[in-house]
Structure formats: C-alpha cells, structure tokens
Amino acid sequence: MSDVPDEFARLRRTCASAGPAAMLEELAAALAAARRWHAVFDARMMQARTALGLPPAGPLGDVPSTVRERLDERTLAACRAAGWPLLEEGQVAAAWMYLRAATEPGELAPRLEALAARELAADPDDEATARRLEEIVGLALWEGVDPALGIGLVLRTQGTCNAITAYEQAV
C-alpha cells in the first residue's frame, strides 16, 4: 500500500466490478502484505459486519442473538488474523491485545516458547531483545500462559533471586 491514491483507485474499481465484499478482501490482503496487522483487524471486522448485514462501522444497537454469535466468531477470527503475525514479529504486547480473547494458553504457549528461544539466541545486550523478553515473561508468568516458561526466563535473564521473588508472587 505504498501509493495510497493508486490503492484507493484500485479498491474503488474492485468495489464497482466485484462488490464491497471483494473490495474488503482485497484491502485486507494488501494490508497483510504490508504487515499492517492492526489495520488487518479493522478490515476483517468490516468484512464480518457487512457479511452479516450490519453497518461496517459504528454502534450496533440491538442485534439478534444468532447474528451476534456469528459476529463473535468472526471477531475471534479477526483477532487471530492480527495477533498471530504480531506475535511472530515479536510484538508480544500488541499480539496479546488480540490473542487474549481468541486463544487458549495451550495454543499460545508453544509459540511463545519458540519466540523466547529466538530472543535468547539474539544479542542479550540489545534493548529491543530485552524488551521482548520482558513482554514474554509478562505474558507467560503474569498472564498465566506458561508460568514455567516465565520463571525459566526470569531465572536465565535476571538471576536466581529475581526468579525466587517472581515464583513467590506468582503462587
């Protein structure tokens, strides 16, 4: 989405020729290709709402329970569409914002462990690496995704005393 006027023109053409659903799918794909995950979430939500006959944005008011259930399912899918790539990129806190609602700890823990292994293999003196490791500890330990991973990371990165303190606070 580097040339915004061209993108808008292309999306307008798609909407005119194939309809709003195709335009929103194209928009979501272009945003994903540009790695704009928060915007992907927004596009997927607009898709979900319009597919269910709801306005693409704004308050919903009273929605029948069957429509609400289908919207909830699509909302969780939109959360995963944004959350998993954010986690893969090491944006742990941003990913958690979406994945908290859309995943179970057992589904998230192995991916968090893999990310932690990548971060531990990186430069330990790098500020960005240290920040990501802190975010992983926060998610693993304090959010309860994988407390053993969290304690292990504290032990490895902050030492025995901090690991003991973290353990005492966690239990």
Side-chain angles (χ1 to χ4, degrees):
M1 298 199 68
S2 58
D3 193 6
V4 174
D6 288 345
E7 286 292 325
F8 284 132
R10 185 174 54 77
L11 291 170
R12 276 194 295 277
R13 285 191 304 273
T14 300
C15 188
S17 65
M23 180 207 58
L24 287 171
E25 182 59 38
E26 191 172 316
L27 173 62
L31 291 166
R35 301 162 64 108
R36 296 188 51 206
W37 306 116
H38 299 289
V40 167
F41 173 80
D42 294 335
R44 294 293 182 204
M45 287 305 302
M46 285 189 285
Q47 279 183 299
R49 289 171 69 137
T50 58
L52 296 171
L54 301 169
L60 290 176
D62 288 331
V63 176
S65 63
T66 56
V67 173
R68 174 64 70 182
E69 288 172 14
R70 291 178 22 221
L71 180 60
D72 289 347
E73 290 170 9
R74 291 173 186 216
T75 299
L76 295 176
C79 286
R80 288 186 290 274
W84 289 128
L86 283 165
L87 185 69
E88 183 63 31
E89 291 179 358
Q91 297 182 50
V92 178
W96 184 238
M97 181 171 61
Y98 298 106
L99 296 175
R100 169 184 276 137
T103 62
E104 295 295 325
E107 184 181 7
L108 181 56
R111 293 183 188 206
L112 200 59
E113 187 174 358
L115 177 60
R118 282 198 326 259
E119 293 302 325
L120 288 169
D123 178 10
D125 295 326
D126 179 60
E127 285 183 39
T129 299
R131 178 191 49 78
R132 284 189 294 272
L133 284 167
E134 281 296 316
E135 289 180 0
I136 293 168
V137 166
L139 198 57
L141 185 58
W142 307 120
E143 294 291 339
V145 171
D146 188 347
L149 172 64
I151 292 292
L153 287 173
V154 172
L155 181 61
R156 185 154 180 195
T157 61
Q158 300 173 24
T160 305
C161 291
N162 286 329
I164 291 169
T165 301
Y167 176 79
E168 289 173 347
Q169 290 175 352
V171 291

PDB file of all heavy atoms in Angstrom, residues 29-66:
ATOM      1  N   ALA A  29      -6.018  -8.196   2.265  1.00  0.00           N
ATOM      2  CA  ALA A  29      -4.826  -8.849   1.706  1.00  0.00           C
ATOM      3  C   ALA A  29      -3.698  -7.846   1.498  1.00  0.00           C
ATOM      4  O   ALA A  29      -2.526  -8.143   1.794  1.00  0.00           O
ATOM      5  CB  ALA A  29      -5.177  -9.546   0.394  1.00  0.00           C
ATOM      6  N   ALA A  30      -4.019  -6.654   1.010  1.00  0.00           N
ATOM      7  CA  ALA A  30      -2.990  -5.628   0.805  1.00  0.00           C
ATOM      8  C   ALA A  30      -2.404  -5.167   2.142  1.00  0.00           C
ATOM      9  O   ALA A  30      -1.186  -4.967   2.258  1.00  0.00           O
ATOM     10  CB  ALA A  30      -3.582  -4.433   0.042  1.00  0.00           C
ATOM     11  N   LEU A  31      -3.242  -5.031   3.145  1.00  0.00           N
ATOM     12  CA  LEU A  31      -2.755  -4.632   4.461  1.00  0.00           C
ATOM     13  C   LEU A  31      -1.874  -5.718   5.077  1.00  0.00           C
ATOM     14  O   LEU A  31      -0.855  -5.424   5.699  1.00  0.00           O
ATOM     15  CB  LEU A  31      -3.933  -4.312   5.387  1.00  0.00           C
ATOM     16  CG  LEU A  31      -4.725  -3.048   5.016  1.00  0.00           C
ATOM     17  CD1 LEU A  31      -6.045  -3.010   5.764  1.00  0.00           C
ATOM     18  CD2 LEU A  31      -3.900  -1.801   5.282  1.00  0.00           C
ATOM     19  N   ALA A  32      -2.251  -6.969   4.889  1.00  0.00           N
ATOM     20  CA  ALA A  32      -1.428  -8.072   5.394  1.00  0.00           C
ATOM     21  C   ALA A  32      -0.078  -8.106   4.676  1.00  0.00           C
ATOM     22  O   ALA A  32       0.962  -8.318   5.310  1.00  0.00           O
ATOM     23  CB  ALA A  32      -2.155  -9.401   5.233  1.00  0.00           C
ATOM     24  N   ALA A  33      -0.088  -7.887   3.374  1.00  0.00           N
ATOM     25  CA  ALA A  33       1.168  -7.863   2.615  1.00  0.00           C
ATOM     26  C   ALA A  33       2.074  -6.735   3.102  1.00  0.00           C
ATOM     27  O   ALA A  33       3.297  -6.871   3.093  1.00  0.00           O
ATOM     28  CB  ALA A  33       0.883  -7.716   1.124  1.00  0.00           C
ATOM     29  N   ALA A  34       1.459  -5.645   3.561  1.00  0.00           N
ATOM     30  CA  ALA A  34       2.224  -4.508   4.093  1.00  0.00           C
ATOM     31  C   ALA A  34       2.529  -4.684   5.578  1.00  0.00           C
ATOM     32  O   ALA A  34       3.140  -3.802   6.186  1.00  0.00           O
ATOM     33  CB  ALA A  34       1.454  -3.207   3.861  1.00  0.00           C
ATOM     34  N   ARG A  35       2.095  -5.797   6.166  1.00  0.00           N
ATOM     35  CA  ARG A  35       2.320  -6.123   7.573  1.00  0.00           C
ATOM     36  C   ARG A  35       1.718  -5.076   8.506  1.00  0.00           C
ATOM     37  O   ARG A  35       2.280  -4.750   9.537  1.00  0.00           O
ATOM     38  CB  ARG A  35       3.806  -6.315   7.831  1.00  0.00           C
ATOM     39  CG  ARG A  35       4.391  -7.425   6.967  1.00  0.00           C
ATOM     40  CD  ARG A  35       5.891  -7.388   6.862  1.00  0.00           C
ATOM     41  NE  ARG A  35       6.536  -7.603   8.132  1.00  0.00           N
ATOM     42  CZ  ARG A  35       7.184  -8.704   8.466  1.00  0.00           C
ATOM     43  NH1 ARG A  35       7.267  -9.684   7.616  1.00  0.00           N
ATOM     44  NH2 ARG A  35       7.752  -8.801   9.635  1.00  0.00           N
ATOM     45  N   ARG A  36       0.562  -4.588   8.145  1.00  0.00           N
ATOM     46  CA  ARG A  36      -0.168  -3.613   8.963  1.00  0.00           C
ATOM     47  C   ARG A  36      -1.277  -4.363   9.696  1.00  0.00           C
ATOM     48  O   ARG A  36      -2.438  -4.308   9.323  1.00  0.00           O
ATOM     49  CB  ARG A  36      -0.708  -2.505   8.070  1.00  0.00           C
ATOM     50  CG  ARG A  36       0.431  -1.715   7.413  1.00  0.00           C
ATOM     51  CD  ARG A  36      -0.023  -0.492   6.684  1.00  0.00           C
ATOM     52  NE  ARG A  36      -0.870   0.324   7.531  1.00  0.00           N
ATOM     53  CZ  ARG A  36      -1.796   1.147   7.041  1.00  0.00           C
ATOM     54  NH1 ARG A  36      -1.964   1.273   5.747  1.00  0.00           N
ATOM     55  NH2 ARG A  36      -2.546   1.853   7.864  1.00  0.00           N
ATOM     56  N   TRP A  37      -0.872  -5.080  10.747  1.00  0.00           N
ATOM     57  CA  TRP A  37      -1.746  -6.048  11.399  1.00  0.00           C
ATOM     58  C   TRP A  37      -2.930  -5.425  12.123  1.00  0.00           C
ATOM     59  O   TRP A  37      -4.024  -6.009  12.136  1.00  0.00           O
ATOM     60  CB  TRP A  37      -0.933  -6.945  12.325  1.00  0.00           C
ATOM     61  CG  TRP A  37       0.195  -7.576  11.574  1.00  0.00           C
ATOM     62  CD1 TRP A  37       1.530  -7.402  11.782  1.00  0.00           C
ATOM     63  CD2 TRP A  37       0.096  -8.446  10.441  1.00  0.00           C
ATOM     64  NE1 TRP A  37       2.267  -8.117  10.863  1.00  0.00           N
ATOM     65  CE2 TRP A  37       1.406  -8.765  10.021  1.00  0.00           C
ATOM     66  CE3 TRP A  37      -0.980  -8.994   9.731  1.00  0.00           C
ATOM     67  CZ2 TRP A  37       1.673  -9.606   8.946  1.00  0.00           C
ATOM     68  CZ3 TRP A  37      -0.716  -9.825   8.660  1.00  0.00           C
ATOM     69  CH2 TRP A  37       0.596 -10.129   8.280  1.00  0.00           C
ATOM     70  N   HIS A  38      -2.768  -4.251  12.715  1.00  0.00           N
ATOM     71  CA  HIS A  38      -3.905  -3.602  13.379  1.00  0.00           C
ATOM     72  C   HIS A  38      -4.956  -3.213  12.335  1.00  0.00           C
ATOM     73  O   HIS A  38      -6.162  -3.362  12.570  1.00  0.00           O
ATOM     74  CB  HIS A  38      -3.451  -2.374  14.170  1.00  0.00           C
ATOM     75  CG  HIS A  38      -2.472  -2.697  15.255  1.00  0.00           C
ATOM     76  ND1 HIS A  38      -2.816  -3.376  16.405  1.00  0.00           N
ATOM     77  CD2 HIS A  38      -1.140  -2.436  15.361  1.00  0.00           C
ATOM     78  CE1 HIS A  38      -1.755  -3.520  17.176  1.00  0.00           C
ATOM     79  NE2 HIS A  38      -0.718  -2.963  16.558  1.00  0.00           N
ATOM     80  N   ALA A  39      -4.492  -2.754  11.192  1.00  0.00           N
ATOM     81  CA  ALA A  39      -5.418  -2.402  10.117  1.00  0.00           C
ATOM     82  C   ALA A  39      -6.061  -3.648   9.515  1.00  0.00           C
ATOM     83  O   ALA A  39      -7.216  -3.603   9.065  1.00  0.00           O
ATOM     84  CB  ALA A  39      -4.690  -1.583   9.050  1.00  0.00           C
ATOM     85  N   VAL A  40      -5.336  -4.768   9.490  1.00  0.00           N
ATOM     86  CA  VAL A  40      -5.922  -6.031   9.032  1.00  0.00           C
ATOM     87  C   VAL A  40      -7.102  -6.391   9.930  1.00  0.00           C
ATOM     88  O   VAL A  40      -8.164  -6.791   9.444  1.00  0.00           O
ATOM     89  CB  VAL A  40      -4.870  -7.173   9.018  1.00  0.00           C
ATOM     90  CG1 VAL A  40      -5.539  -8.533   8.848  1.00  0.00           C
ATOM     91  CG2 VAL A  40      -3.845  -6.939   7.919  1.00  0.00           C
ATOM     92  N   PHE A  41      -6.919  -6.236  11.238  1.00  0.00           N
ATOM     93  CA  PHE A  41      -8.019  -6.499  12.161  1.00  0.00           C
ATOM     94  C   PHE A  41      -9.230  -5.640  11.798  1.00  0.00           C
ATOM     95  O   PHE A  41     -10.355  -6.141  11.710  1.00  0.00           O
ATOM     96  CB  PHE A  41      -7.588  -6.234  13.609  1.00  0.00           C
ATOM     97  CG  PHE A  41      -8.731  -6.324  14.578  1.00  0.00           C
ATOM     98  CD1 PHE A  41      -9.186  -7.552  15.022  1.00  0.00           C
ATOM     99  CD2 PHE A  41      -9.363  -5.173  15.039  1.00  0.00           C
ATOM    100  CE1 PHE A  41     -10.256  -7.639  15.907  1.00  0.00           C
ATOM    101  CE2 PHE A  41     -10.429  -5.254  15.917  1.00  0.00           C
ATOM    102  CZ  PHE A  41     -10.875  -6.493  16.353  1.00  0.00           C
ATOM    103  N   ASP A  42      -9.000  -4.350  11.586  1.00  0.00           N
ATOM    104  CA  ASP A  42     -10.108  -3.454  11.242  1.00  0.00           C
ATOM    105  C   ASP A  42     -10.802  -3.877   9.949  1.00  0.00           C
ATOM    106  O   ASP A  42     -12.038  -3.892   9.875  1.00  0.00           O
ATOM    107  CB  ASP A  42      -9.606  -2.014  11.114  1.00  0.00           C
ATOM    108  CG  ASP A  42      -9.123  -1.443  12.429  1.00  0.00           C
ATOM    109  OD1 ASP A  42      -9.576  -1.917  13.497  1.00  0.00           O
ATOM    110  OD2 ASP A  42      -8.280  -0.518  12.393  1.00  0.00           O
ATOM    111  N   ALA A  43     -10.020  -4.241   8.949  1.00  0.00           N
ATOM    112  CA  ALA A  43     -10.600  -4.667   7.672  1.00  0.00           C
ATOM    113  C   ALA A  43     -11.406  -5.955   7.853  1.00  0.00           C
ATOM    114  O   ALA A  43     -12.508  -6.092   7.299  1.00  0.00           O
ATOM    115  CB  ALA A  43      -9.507  -4.853   6.626  1.00  0.00           C
ATOM    116  N   ARG A  44     -10.865  -6.895   8.613  1.00  0.00           N
ATOM    117  CA  ARG A  44     -11.582  -8.152   8.855  1.00  0.00           C
ATOM    118  C   ARG A  44     -12.878  -7.905   9.631  1.00  0.00           C
ATOM    119  O   ARG A  44     -13.879  -8.583   9.410  1.00  0.00           O
ATOM    120  CB  ARG A  44     -10.700  -9.158   9.586  1.00  0.00           C
ATOM    121  CG  ARG A  44      -9.508  -9.640   8.781  1.00  0.00           C
ATOM    122  CD  ARG A  44      -9.943 -10.461   7.597  1.00  0.00           C
ATOM    123  NE  ARG A  44      -8.783 -10.963   6.864  1.00  0.00           N
ATOM    124  CZ  ARG A  44      -8.824 -11.298   5.595  1.00  0.00           C
ATOM    125  NH1 ARG A  44      -9.950 -11.203   4.906  1.00  0.00           N
ATOM    126  NH2 ARG A  44      -7.748 -11.745   4.987  1.00  0.00           N
ATOM    127  N   MET A  45     -12.865  -6.930  10.530  1.00  0.00           N
ATOM    128  CA  MET A  45     -14.088  -6.603  11.267  1.00  0.00           C
ATOM    129  C   MET A  45     -15.127  -5.977  10.336  1.00  0.00           C
ATOM    130  O   MET A  45     -16.323  -6.276  10.448  1.00  0.00           O
ATOM    131  CB  MET A  45     -13.780  -5.668  12.441  1.00  0.00           C
ATOM    132  CG  MET A  45     -13.063  -6.358  13.589  1.00  0.00           C
ATOM    133  SD  MET A  45     -13.939  -7.820  14.223  1.00  0.00           S
ATOM    134  CE  MET A  45     -15.514  -7.135  14.682  1.00  0.00           C
ATOM    135  N   MET A  46     -14.679  -5.107   9.435  1.00  0.00           N
ATOM    136  CA  MET A  46     -15.619  -4.537   8.461  1.00  0.00           C
ATOM    137  C   MET A  46     -16.207  -5.650   7.594  1.00  0.00           C
ATOM    138  O   MET A  46     -17.408  -5.643   7.297  1.00  0.00           O
ATOM    139  CB  MET A  46     -14.941  -3.481   7.605  1.00  0.00           C
ATOM    140  CG  MET A  46     -14.706  -2.174   8.331  1.00  0.00           C
ATOM    141  SD  MET A  46     -14.151  -0.853   7.252  1.00  0.00           S
ATOM    142  CE  MET A  46     -12.450  -1.333   6.976  1.00  0.00           C
ATOM    143  N   GLN A  47     -15.364  -6.598   7.186  1.00  0.00           N
ATOM    144  CA  GLN A  47     -15.853  -7.740   6.413  1.00  0.00           C
ATOM    145  C   GLN A  47     -16.912  -8.513   7.199  1.00  0.00           C
ATOM    146  O   GLN A  47     -17.955  -8.869   6.645  1.00  0.00           O
ATOM    147  CB  GLN A  47     -14.706  -8.701   6.098  1.00  0.00           C
ATOM    148  CG  GLN A  47     -13.853  -8.316   4.945  1.00  0.00           C
ATOM    149  CD  GLN A  47     -12.810  -9.388   4.702  1.00  0.00           C
ATOM    150  OE1 GLN A  47     -11.990  -9.661   5.567  1.00  0.00           O
ATOM    151  NE2 GLN A  47     -12.837  -9.979   3.530  1.00  0.00           N
ATOM    152  N   ALA A  48     -16.617  -8.805   8.448  1.00  0.00           N
ATOM    153  CA  ALA A  48     -17.536  -9.579   9.277  1.00  0.00           C
ATOM    154  C   ALA A  48     -18.871  -8.865   9.405  1.00  0.00           C
ATOM    155  O   ALA A  48     -19.930  -9.483   9.250  1.00  0.00           O
ATOM    156  CB  ALA A  48     -16.922  -9.816  10.655  1.00  0.00           C
ATOM    157  N   ARG A  49     -18.815  -7.598   9.677  1.00  0.00           N
ATOM    158  CA  ARG A  49     -20.049  -6.849   9.889  1.00  0.00           C
ATOM    159  C   ARG A  49     -20.882  -6.768   8.613  1.00  0.00           C
ATOM    160  O   ARG A  49     -22.092  -7.015   8.645  1.00  0.00           O
ATOM    161  CB  ARG A  49     -19.725  -5.460  10.432  1.00  0.00           C
ATOM    162  CG  ARG A  49     -19.222  -5.507  11.869  1.00  0.00           C
ATOM    163  CD  ARG A  49     -18.702  -4.177  12.331  1.00  0.00           C
ATOM    164  NE  ARG A  49     -19.792  -3.226  12.467  1.00  0.00           N
ATOM    165  CZ  ARG A  49     -19.938  -2.389  13.481  1.00  0.00           C
ATOM    166  NH1 ARG A  49     -19.064  -2.397  14.472  1.00  0.00           N
ATOM    167  NH2 ARG A  49     -20.945  -1.555  13.523  1.00  0.00           N
ATOM    168  N   THR A  50     -20.244  -6.422   7.505  1.00  0.00           N
ATOM    169  CA  THR A  50     -21.016  -6.280   6.260  1.00  0.00           C
ATOM    170  C   THR A  50     -21.541  -7.626   5.774  1.00  0.00           C
ATOM    171  O   THR A  50     -22.637  -7.692   5.223  1.00  0.00           O
ATOM    172  CB  THR A  50     -20.186  -5.589   5.164  1.00  0.00           C
ATOM    173  OG1 THR A  50     -18.990  -6.323   4.919  1.00  0.00           O
ATOM    174  CG2 THR A  50     -19.850  -4.154   5.545  1.00  0.00           C
ATOM    175  N   ALA A  51     -20.779  -8.709   5.991  1.00  0.00           N
ATOM    176  CA  ALA A  51     -21.247 -10.041   5.593  1.00  0.00           C
ATOM    177  C   ALA A  51     -22.504 -10.442   6.357  1.00  0.00           C
ATOM    178  O   ALA A  51     -23.307 -11.234   5.856  1.00  0.00           O
ATOM    179  CB  ALA A  51     -20.144 -11.072   5.808  1.00  0.00           C
ATOM    180  N   LEU A  52     -22.666  -9.888   7.549  1.00  0.00           N
ATOM    181  CA  LEU A  52     -23.837 -10.204   8.374  1.00  0.00           C
ATOM    182  C   LEU A  52     -24.953  -9.171   8.228  1.00  0.00           C
ATOM    183  O   LEU A  52     -25.931  -9.190   8.981  1.00  0.00           O
ATOM    184  CB  LEU A  52     -23.407 -10.320   9.839  1.00  0.00           C
ATOM    185  CG  LEU A  52     -22.440 -11.466  10.132  1.00  0.00           C
ATOM    186  CD1 LEU A  52     -21.894 -11.358  11.548  1.00  0.00           C
ATOM    187  CD2 LEU A  52     -23.119 -12.802   9.892  1.00  0.00           C
ATOM    188  N   GLY A  53     -24.784  -8.257   7.266  1.00  0.00           N
ATOM    189  CA  GLY A  53     -25.815  -7.248   7.025  1.00  0.00           C
ATOM    190  C   GLY A  53     -25.791  -6.101   8.012  1.00  0.00           C
ATOM    191  O   GLY A  53     -26.780  -5.376   8.156  1.00  0.00           O
ATOM    192  N   LEU A  54     -24.673  -5.934   8.702  1.00  0.00           N
ATOM    193  CA  LEU A  54     -24.528  -4.860   9.683  1.00  0.00           C
ATOM    194  C   LEU A  54     -23.734  -3.711   9.064  1.00  0.00           C
ATOM    195  O   LEU A  54     -23.012  -3.907   8.082  1.00  0.00           O
ATOM    196  CB  LEU A  54     -23.798  -5.392  10.918  1.00  0.00           C
ATOM    197  CG  LEU A  54     -24.471  -6.560  11.638  1.00  0.00           C
ATOM    198  CD1 LEU A  54     -23.532  -7.168  12.669  1.00  0.00           C
ATOM    199  CD2 LEU A  54     -25.770  -6.105  12.276  1.00  0.00           C
ATOM    200  N   PRO A  55     -23.817  -2.518   9.650  1.00  0.00           N
ATOM    201  CA  PRO A  55     -23.003  -1.412   9.131  1.00  0.00           C
ATOM    202  C   PRO A  55     -21.519  -1.724   9.342  1.00  0.00           C
ATOM    203  O   PRO A  55     -21.151  -2.369  10.328  1.00  0.00           O
ATOM    204  CB  PRO A  55     -23.442  -0.209   9.970  1.00  0.00           C
ATOM    205  CG  PRO A  55     -24.097  -0.775  11.173  1.00  0.00           C
ATOM    206  CD  PRO A  55     -24.629  -2.119  10.800  1.00  0.00           C
ATOM    207  N   PRO A  56     -20.649  -1.276   8.437  1.00  0.00           N
ATOM    208  CA  PRO A  56     -19.226  -1.601   8.547  1.00  0.00           C
ATOM    209  C   PRO A  56     -18.541  -0.999   9.762  1.00  0.00           C
ATOM    210  O   PRO A  56     -17.506  -1.504  10.204  1.00  0.00           O
ATOM    211  CB  PRO A  56     -18.618  -1.067   7.256  1.00  0.00           C
ATOM    212  CG  PRO A  56     -19.608  -0.095   6.729  1.00  0.00           C
ATOM    213  CD  PRO A  56     -20.945  -0.498   7.250  1.00  0.00           C
ATOM    214  N   ALA A  57     -19.110   0.054  10.319  1.00  0.00           N
ATOM    215  CA  ALA A  57     -18.515   0.701  11.492  1.00  0.00           C
ATOM    216  C   ALA A  57     -19.626   1.337  12.311  1.00  0.00           C
ATOM    217  O   ALA A  57     -20.762   1.461  11.852  1.00  0.00           O
ATOM    218  CB  ALA A  57     -17.498   1.745  11.061  1.00  0.00           C
ATOM    219  N   GLY A  58     -19.279   1.740  13.527  1.00  0.00           N
ATOM    220  CA  GLY A  58     -20.231   2.430  14.380  1.00  0.00           C
ATOM    221  C   GLY A  58     -20.969   1.494  15.313  1.00  0.00           C
ATOM    222  O   GLY A  58     -20.750   0.286  15.306  1.00  0.00           O
ATOM    223  N   PRO A  59     -21.857   2.076  16.122  1.00  0.00           N
ATOM    224  CA  PRO A  59     -22.587   1.272  17.105  1.00  0.00           C
ATOM    225  C   PRO A  59     -23.499   0.259  16.421  1.00  0.00           C
ATOM    226  O   PRO A  59     -24.029   0.508  15.340  1.00  0.00           O
ATOM    227  CB  PRO A  59     -23.395   2.299  17.895  1.00  0.00           C
ATOM    228  CG  PRO A  59     -23.176   3.615  17.276  1.00  0.00           C
ATOM    229  CD  PRO A  59     -22.177   3.482  16.185  1.00  0.00           C
ATOM    230  N   LEU A  60     -23.689  -0.859  17.091  1.00  0.00           N
ATOM    231  CA  LEU A  60     -24.526  -1.913  16.523  1.00  0.00           C
ATOM    232  C   LEU A  60     -25.955  -1.868  17.031  1.00  0.00           C
ATOM    233  O   LEU A  60     -26.863  -2.322  16.356  1.00  0.00           O
ATOM    234  CB  LEU A  60     -23.925  -3.287  16.843  1.00  0.00           C
ATOM    235  CG  LEU A  60     -22.639  -3.611  16.119  1.00  0.00           C
ATOM    236  CD1 LEU A  60     -22.092  -4.950  16.591  1.00  0.00           C
ATOM    237  CD2 LEU A  60     -22.861  -3.640  14.624  1.00  0.00           C
ATOM    238  N   GLY A  61     -26.156  -1.354  18.218  1.00  0.00           N
ATOM    239  CA  GLY A  61     -27.504  -1.368  18.781  1.00  0.00           C
ATOM    240  C   GLY A  61     -27.940  -2.787  19.083  1.00  0.00           C
ATOM    241  O   GLY A  61     -27.128  -3.649  19.392  1.00  0.00           O
ATOM    242  N   ASP A  62     -29.224  -3.037  18.978  1.00  0.00           N
ATOM    243  CA  ASP A  62     -29.751  -4.382  19.239  1.00  0.00           C
ATOM    244  C   ASP A  62     -29.512  -5.265  18.022  1.00  0.00           C
ATOM    245  O   ASP A  62     -29.942  -4.945  16.919  1.00  0.00           O
ATOM    246  CB  ASP A  62     -31.249  -4.318  19.545  1.00  0.00           C
ATOM    247  CG  ASP A  62     -31.525  -3.709  20.907  1.00  0.00           C
ATOM    248  OD1 ASP A  62     -30.654  -3.844  21.788  1.00  0.00           O
ATOM    249  OD2 ASP A  62     -32.597  -3.098  21.075  1.00  0.00           O
ATOM    250  N   VAL A  63     -28.837  -6.363  18.260  1.00  0.00           N
ATOM    251  CA  VAL A  63     -28.559  -7.333  17.202  1.00  0.00           C
ATOM    252  C   VAL A  63     -29.126  -8.665  17.662  1.00  0.00           C
ATOM    253  O   VAL A  63     -28.914  -9.070  18.819  1.00  0.00           O
ATOM    254  CB  VAL A  63     -27.027  -7.443  16.972  1.00  0.00           C
ATOM    255  CG1 VAL A  63     -26.708  -8.496  15.951  1.00  0.00           C
ATOM    256  CG2 VAL A  63     -26.451  -6.100  16.568  1.00  0.00           C
ATOM    257  N   PRO A  64     -29.842  -9.358  16.794  1.00  0.00           N
ATOM    258  CA  PRO A  64     -30.367 -10.673  17.189  1.00  0.00           C
ATOM    259  C   PRO A  64     -29.236 -11.594  17.667  1.00  0.00           C
ATOM    260  O   PRO A  64     -28.102 -11.519  17.174  1.00  0.00           O
ATOM    261  CB  PRO A  64     -31.003 -11.209  15.901  1.00  0.00           C
ATOM    262  CG  PRO A  64     -31.249 -10.002  15.054  1.00  0.00           C
ATOM    263  CD  PRO A  64     -30.201  -9.002  15.425  1.00  0.00           C
ATOM    264  N   SER A  65     -29.543 -12.471  18.611  1.00  0.00           N
ATOM    265  CA  SER A  65     -28.511 -13.313  19.217  1.00  0.00           C
ATOM    266  C   SER A  65     -27.812 -14.200  18.197  1.00  0.00           C
ATOM    267  O   SER A  65     -26.606 -14.442  18.310  1.00  0.00           O
ATOM    268  CB  SER A  65     -29.099 -14.150  20.347  1.00  0.00           C
ATOM    269  OG  SER A  65     -30.085 -15.025  19.852  1.00  0.00           O
ATOM    270  N   THR A  66     -28.530 -14.680  17.184  1.00  0.00           N
ATOM    271  CA  THR A  66     -27.875 -15.525  16.180  1.00  0.00           C
ATOM    272  C   THR A  66     -26.855 -14.723  15.375  1.00  0.00           C
ATOM    273  O   THR A  66     -25.778 -15.233  15.063  1.00  0.00           O
ATOM    274  CB  THR A  66     -28.901 -16.158  15.226  1.00  0.00           C
ATOM    275  OG1 THR A  66     -29.675 -15.116  14.627  1.00  0.00           O
ATOM    276  CG2 THR A  66     -29.813 -17.127  15.960  1.00  0.00           C
TER     277      THR A  66
END
